[in-house]
Amino acid sequence: MTQEPRRERRTATARELADRFGVSERTVLRMVAEERTVYESRSRQRRDQIVELHRQGLKGYEIARELSVSTSLVSTRLKEARSAGADLTRHAASGRETSSRTSDG
C-alpha cells in the first residue's frame, strides 16, 4: 500500500499566528484548514486501510505503526467497523497465522 505524504506538524498555535500577522484567530484557522471533501476522503481511505490491514492479520499496534497513527485511533476505527457490520475476518497473509486457528486434531 502506498502512503500519502505526512502533513507537517504545526509549530505555532493559531493564536500566536493571529497575533504575529494582526488578524483574528478564526482567519488563521480558515486559511490553514484543508477542504472538507479532502479531509473526508483521506479519513475514509485511512479507515479502509485499517480494516484491510486488520484482515491481513496485523495487530493494532502494527497497524498504527504502518499508518503513522495512534493505537487508540486504530482501536476506535475497528470498533466502528464492527458496529457498522463490516466483515473483520482475518485472512492468512504471507504466512501469518495465529496459533488459535490451527488444530492438531
Side-chain angles (χ1 to χ4, degrees):
M1 283 185 185
T2 60
Q3 280 193 12
E4 294 179 21
R6 292 185 79 180
R7 293 183 64 180
E8 289 295 319
R9 191 171 207 118
R10 296 187 182 128
T11 57
T13 66
R15 175 78 277 158
E16 292 168 342
L17 292 172
D19 290 344
R20 185 181 310 161
F21 296 109
V23 296
S24 73
E25 187 174 349
R26 178 71 183 128
T27 298
V28 171
L29 293 173
R30 276 196 320 266
M31 297 300 289
V32 299
E34 66 184 325
E35 291 281 332
R36 183 172 187 82
T37 56
V38 172
Y39 170 79
E40 288 174 345
S41 173
R42 190 169 49 85
S43 178
R44 193 170 21 261
Q45 181 182 21
R46 185 173 51 221
R47 278 194 301 268
D48 294 344
Q49 287 175 322
I50 289 171
V51 169
E52 184 55 35
L53 290 172
H54 174 78
R55 287 178 181 153
Q56 291 175 14
L58 271 68
K59 294 181 167 82
Y61 70 91
E62 294 170 321
I63 296 169
R65 190 178 322 132
E66 175 81 18
L67 300 179
S68 300
V69 297
S70 69
T71 54
S72 60
L73 177 76
V74 171
S75 176
T76 299
R77 295 300 175 246
L78 290 173
K79 286 177 187 175
E80 290 171 354
R82 279 186 196 97
S83 295
D87 176 19
L88 296 180
T89 305
R90 291 182 178 222
H91 307 288
S94 63
R96 283 180 155 266
E97 286 199 40
T98 58
S99 60
S100 62
R101 293 191 181 200
T102 58
S103 73
D104 296 320

